[in-house]
Amino acid sequence: MEYLNMTIVVIYLVAMLGFGWWGKSRTRNASDYLVAGRRLGPLLYTGTMAAVVLGGASTVGGVGLGYTYGISGMWLVVAIGTGVLLLSLLFAPTIQRLKIYTVSQMLSLRYGSEATKVSGIVMLAYTLMLCATSTGAYATIFVVLFGWDRALSIAIGGIIVVIYSAIGGMWSITLADMAQFVIKTIGVFALMLPFSLSAAGGFDGIAERAGSEFFNITGIGAQSIITYFVVYTLGLLIGQDIWQRVFTSRTPEVARWGGATAGIYCILYGVAGAVIGMSASVILPDIASRDDVYADIAINVLPIGIGGLVLAAAVAAMMSTASGSLIAAATVARTDVLPYVRSWTTRRDARSATTGTRIHTKPAGNAEAHDVTASRWWVFGLGVTAIALAIVVQDVVAALTIAYDILVGGLLVSIIGGLVWKRGNGLGAGVSMAVGTLVTLGTMIYLEVNAENQYDGIYANEPIYFGLAASAFVYIAVSFASPPTSPAVMSAWEDRVAGNVPDDEAPGVEASAGGASALPDRP
């Protein structure tokens, strides 16, 4: 009967390839490939936003935390849901109206400064490591279910994600994510939660056999709760993988309320995962690793067939994060990083004959810069790279932590500052990113060298705290001490924020004589 569970998972994997071909039929241009034509309505947008943020850490990890810490194991996923809520209610409508493709483009448009282009490199590192981490995570399900070697599991699962992502881009990923959202909802809320809770004797049975401390909302510890909010909530506000989903929404209202609905869903998902883990601690008290709890419940507690669907839900959660981060990495690499690296050796029209400068940020909106075929090759190439990283690098989580810390400690202030503070300028943003990144890395290295345990090293919170503080101080001080952003740049920015730019117009602004900041034409 175990073969039935295996068959269900195999059918799911084949279906993901089918969604790739289905999405290909809807992909006619670069906008379709990268942001699903900016046409997603409330249902598709809500489902795909929830799918991309609820990965292996939220599903398998959330259940494992509930197994160890009780109801307080929910805080990791609650922090993720809170990040989605804040992004959606505070910033998503503005982000949607920009009609861009990357976070780095927002910085270029807002500040008109070449200093902000380095953000693309940081974002690429973050999205690539997130993809590698997710790829390694869903391979653990294949190891348990099929008995495959870890490297083979990573390769097979990764190839499936790369194929359906590369074929149809964001449309394929959106359709696959919607299916994954449905499977996760059924698997966790309709099947796993009631079956496991019933087998544990309900909440009374859990309290009787596990103790009332399992219902302590802060049982996991204040330090861990703070960590989740600092890392995940703040990271979600500025991550390219999340912003790229915002870009897919049809209207600012869809971005706000569809995203808010997804945030609430995430919070409920976190509570459900913690309760499932609490139930498992009573039913299966001797599980050695909390990362195995989810799979053990599916195989040993749930009926045959239902267990297969639940395992497919776990794979769905991890694949949705992997595919979302993969296309985000490809978009950043092609749109931001490649032109920036080329500019180190090739400068064309760096400055105009006058003091003014032409600012061109033309990403995937034009065929020359972002044709679909080339984008497919970027997705394929970075997907293979992520698979190799997942196989070769044993501590991918440490690499992801470093990328997350730099993302938040180095870039958060300049990005959010650009959205909310008009006086912030390009020089302040550029220096802020440099100082925040250096302080974050420096603190991390110092703590790692002098670490007495893992919480004092790379995984400590202090690097983000110091990086954010230094970044904010420098951003404000330098912005006040230097001239404000050029009126021409600010005027173009405000037009775009107001939604006065047609959907098919590539981001760009012309600044004539009068002291506009310098941004060279892209090669």
Side-chain angles (χ1 to χ4, degrees), residues 90-347:
L90 299 179
F91 305 115
T94 297
I95 294 170
Q96 192 277 342
R97 283 191 289 265
L98 294 177
K99 305 300 180 187
I100 54 177
Y101 294 90
T102 68
V103 176
S104 184
Q105 287 177 346
M106 170 261 158
L107 292 169
S108 294
L109 286 167
R110 167 59 181 83
Y111 296 114
S113 172
E114 190 171 359
T116 60
K117 286 186 174 182
V118 71
S119 62
I121 296 176
V122 176
M123 203 64 73
L124 175 60
Y126 156 71
T127 51
L128 191 59
M129 284 303 168
L130 182 59
C131 182
T133 303
S134 301
T135 301
Y138 58 70
T140 60
I141 300 294
F142 298 160
V143 171
V144 172
L145 189 61
F146 300 110
W148 294 340
D149 174 75
R150 175 180 175 273
L152 178 64
S153 299
I154 290 173
I156 292 177
I159 288 170
I160 291 171
V161 170
V162 170
I163 289 175
Y164 81 71
S165 299
I167 289 174
M170 187 59 83
W171 267 122
S172 294
I173 293 170
T174 295
L175 296 171
D177 279 0
M178 195 61 200
Q180 291 161 354
F181 171 74
V182 172
I183 292 172
K184 284 192 286 190
T185 301
I186 294 173
V188 171
F189 288 101
L191 297 176
M192 206 170 190
L193 179 60
F195 270 101
S196 60
L197 190 57
S198 174
F203 290 109
D204 290 338
I206 296 173
E208 180 181 341
R209 297 164 66 180
S212 59
E213 65 273 9
F214 240 42
F215 292 88
N216 181 359
I217 201 73
T218 60
I220 198 170
Q223 180 67 25
S224 294
I225 295 172
I226 293 171
T227 297
Y228 297 145
F229 279 93
V230 168
V231 174
Y232 294 104
T233 302
L234 297 182
L236 277 164
L237 293 179
I238 59 174
Q240 169 68 26
D241 52 326
I242 311 303
W243 276 42
Q244 197 155 342
R245 293 311 173 108
V246 177
F247 300 151
T248 66
S249 61
R250 183 189 303 156
T251 65
E253 289 71 27
V254 169
R256 172 181 280 132
W257 301 115
T261 303
I264 294 170
Y265 175 91
C266 292
I267 292 172
L268 295 176
Y269 195 90
V271 175
V275 172
I276 291 168
M278 294 168 67
S279 302
S281 70
V282 171
I283 306 166
L284 303 168
D286 299 321
I287 299 176
S289 172
R290 69 187 186 199
D291 288 339
D292 296 334
V293 175
Y294 186 100
D296 281 354
I297 293 176
I299 294 172
N300 299 315
V301 176
L302 301 183
I304 295 295
I306 291 178
L309 186 59
V310 166
L311 288 173
V315 176
M318 301 170 197
M319 282 189 166
S320 60
T321 299
S323 59
S325 55
L326 175 57
I327 195 167
T331 305
V332 170
R334 183 106 198 273
T335 303
D336 300 324
V337 176
L338 181 61
Y340 180 54
V341 172
R342 281 177 175 171
S343 72
W344 297 347
T345 55
T346 305
R347 297 281 181 174

Side-chain angles (χ1 to χ4, degrees), residues 3 46 54 81 113 123 169 245 269 283 291 299 321 328 331 355 365 373 414-415 427 431 441 444 464:
Y3 288 109
T46 299
L54 293 175
S113 172
M123 203 64 73
R245 293 311 173 108
Y269 195 90
I283 306 166
D291 288 339
I299 294 172
T321 299
T331 305
T355 56
T373 300
S414 295
I415 295 171
L427 182 60
V431 176
L441 282 175
M444 191 179 297
I464 293 181

